[in-house]
Amino acid sequence: MKALAASLLIVLAGCGAMPRDPEGTSEAIARSRQIRVGLVQGDSDFARPAAARLLRRLAHETGARPVLRAGSTETLFKQLERGDLDLVLAPLDPKSPWMIDVTPGPPLAATGQGEARIEYYPVLRNGENRWIMQVERIARTVAESGAEQ
């Protein structure tokens, strides 16, 4: 019985801070008070209001200010993978090969119909689950508030 209790304590101790960010994204944001955000250059005017709402809410909730960096999708996603960015805001095709290398959150905005439809996503580094959950929760709120307007 004592061995079972000891084993249970060991297992529970390992589950203390779930979900976690193995690479420490949430902790780095809290420490630096900055959210490093990549903005994909190009035709994303349709999503600008939703992106601004997301960044305002993230700043309010984390106490960190967004620091913006513009660039191409490929360049920014590579920086995201390396941990040089915390978030990328980008129009993304659901068939993009990047979809397995990054974690897209809920789309913030969309334009067009059918094959011409473009969706604008917050995109995050795979595995940073605490940060992903926080951004996804806020993104859903932002997308819902934008749909009501």
Side-chain angles (χ1 to χ4, degrees), residues 47 96 117 148:
S96 167
R117 183 174 175 87
E148 295 169 359

Side-chain angles (χ1 to χ4, degrees), residues 42-107:
D43 188 18
S44 299
D45 287 345
F46 72 93
R48 191 168 288 145
R53 284 194 307 275
L54 175 75
L55 294 177
R56 273 195 308 274
R57 290 183 184 180
L58 278 171
H60 176 75
E61 191 168 298
T62 63
R65 69 179 176 84
V67 176
L68 307 178
R69 183 181 307 162
S72 69
T73 304
E74 182 86 12
T75 300
L76 294 174
F77 282 1
K78 285 183 179 185
Q79 291 174 8
L80 182 68
E81 277 189 310
R82 284 193 310 264
D84 297 335
L85 292 173
D86 304 311
L87 170 68
V88 174
L89 298 173
L92 194 58
D93 183 335
K95 298 173 191 166
S96 167
W98 276 104
M99 293 301 253
I100 59 171
D101 294 326
V102 296
T103 301

Side-chain angles (χ1 to χ4, degrees), residues 15-39:
C15 297
M18 297 299 275
R20 297 186 330 185
D21 291 348
E23 301 297 330
T25 300
S26 296
E27 294 85 359
I29 290 169
R31 191 173 45 256
S32 70
R33 297 197 159 301
Q34 293 183 349
I35 304 168
R36 300 165 303 164
V37 181
L39 296 174

Side-chain angles (χ1 to χ4, degrees), residues 1-16:
M1 187 66 161
K2 288 182 183 180
L4 177 62
S7 297
L8 185 58
L9 285 175
I10 290 170
V11 169
L12 290 176
C15 297

